[in-house]
């Protein structure tokens, strides 16, 4: 196995904590979106996945400039050369199994949860690693609100163009797409569209990963349970077997 970057960097935004006068702000945690070698493949850089927090006035439905995310806006507005206080890395370590370079990896993410998968895909398709030449299938399902919210879309689209036999890319845009029942399209709805193929891949040893807000998991679990029942399988037994085989990987927050 190859150890991916520890998944979080803690950032301390400048200024005073309004709830604790005289004290600095609490740390904010952001996902690392790279493997250990960094953007320049020299081991001296890293990349954080940050969503700038904005707030909308419920009466006008317009952005309220007086309310902004303290740390996310600071990071998004920072310029080259600005000093940023960080601690860490912290959080759990994610592993990309490399004992089988022809394995299938199904990656399901919402929003900034795509960060570790960006690292995986760079490892598979960008890094030159003498002992690891990826020849399997990487299948990414990414759920966001709309097209403007897609992260690293250019990178993923290029992988799909350059490696069509090794990379598949599905987007669930809940404000722009409808599911089969005519409701908003969420990532669990998109995975349900490919339910038979996903289950066959899992039966053949595929790894499946989930990363994003923990609220994504109940809907996905319900969808997978429904599919299992349609196939005449007991979902709890199947899930237990996937975990036993180390095919089931969950990192939610």
């Amino acid at each position: 196995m190859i150890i991916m970057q520890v998944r979080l960097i803690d950032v301390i935004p400048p200024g005073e904590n309004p709830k604790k006068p005289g004290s600095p702000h609490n740390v904010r945690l952001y996902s690392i979106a790279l493997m250990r070698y960094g953007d320049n493949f020299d081991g001296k850089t890293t990349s954080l996945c940050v969503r700038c927090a904005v707030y909308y006035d419920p009466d006008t439905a317009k952005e309220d400039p007086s309310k902004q995310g303290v740390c996310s806006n600071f990071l998004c507005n920072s310029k080259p050369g600005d000093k940023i206080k960080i601690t860490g890395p912290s959080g759990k370590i994610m592993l990309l199994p490399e004992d089988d370079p022809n394995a299938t990896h199904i990656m399901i993410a919402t929003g900034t949860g795509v960060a570790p998968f960006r690292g995986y895909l760079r490892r598979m398709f960008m890094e030159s690693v003498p002992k690891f030449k990826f020849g399997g299938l990487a299948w990414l399902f990414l759920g966001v609100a709309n097209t403007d919210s897609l992260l690293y879309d250019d990178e993923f689209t290029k992988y799909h163009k350059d490696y069509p036999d090794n990379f598949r890319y599905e987007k669930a845009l809940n404000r722009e797409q409808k599911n089969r029942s005519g409701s908003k399209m969420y990532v669990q709805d998109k995975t349900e569209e490919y339910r038979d193929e996903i289950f066959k891949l899992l039966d053949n040893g595929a790894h499946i990963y989930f990363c994003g807000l923990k609220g994504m998991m109940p809907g996905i679990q319900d969808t997978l349970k429904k599919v299992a029942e349609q196939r005449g399988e007991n979902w709890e037994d199947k899930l237990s077997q996937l975990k036993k085989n180390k095919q089931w990987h969950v990192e939610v927050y």
Side-chain angles (χ1 to χ4, degrees), residues 22-167:
S23 300
H25 284 287
N26 295 332
V27 299
R28 268 70 166 181
L29 280 61
Y30 294 99
S31 298
I32 297 174
L34 285 175
M35 300 294 275
R36 66 177 72 178
Y37 300 111
D39 288 282
N40 300 324
F41 304 104
D42 60 3
K44 297 179 180 179
T45 62
T46 191
S47 180
L48 301 182
C49 188
V50 181
R51 180 183 179 186
C52 195
V54 295
Y55 298 86
Y56 289 86
D57 186 300
D59 296 324
T60 64
K62 295 183 179 180
E63 183 179 336
D64 184 351
S66 66
K67 297 180 180 180
Q68 295 184 335
V70 172
C71 194
S72 64
N73 280 266
F74 162 65
L75 291 175
C76 292
N77 294 330
S78 62
K79 300 177 178 60
D82 289 351
K83 293 185 177 181
I84 298 174
K85 292 182 179 180
I86 63 173
T87 64
S90 63
K92 295 182 179 179
I93 294 174
M94 291 193 72
L95 299 175
L96 174 60
E98 292 191 344
D99 50 334
D100 180 4
N102 297 315
T104 295
H105 304 269
I106 303 168
M107 298 165 281
I108 301 175
T110 58
T112 56
V114 76
F117 302 143
R118 187 216 181 197
Y120 280 11
L121 295 170
R122 284 173 65 93
R123 178 72 172 180
M124 294 169 177
F125 300 120
M126 287 185 66
E127 295 183 6
S128 178
V129 185
K131 296 183 179 180
F132 177 71
K133 177 65 175 176
F134 183 66
L137 172 65
W139 193 355
L140 174 64
F141 291 83
L142 177 56
V144 295
N146 48 47
T147 302
D148 291 342
S149 301
L150 288 169
L151 299 170
Y152 312 113
D153 186 56
D154 290 345
E155 287 184 27
F156 302 152
T157 300
K158 188 175 188 305
Y159 295 150
H160 186 259
K161 179 182 178 181
D162 294 344
Y163 305 94
D165 296 330
N166 303 100
F167 181 58

Side-chain angles (χ1 to χ4, degrees), residues 213-229:
L213 295 175
K214 65 176 62 177
M216 70 185 281
M217 290 308 298
I220 289 174
Q221 289 265 34
D222 289 345
T223 295
L224 295 175
K225 181 179 180 180
K226 180 172 67 174
V227 174
E229 291 173 347

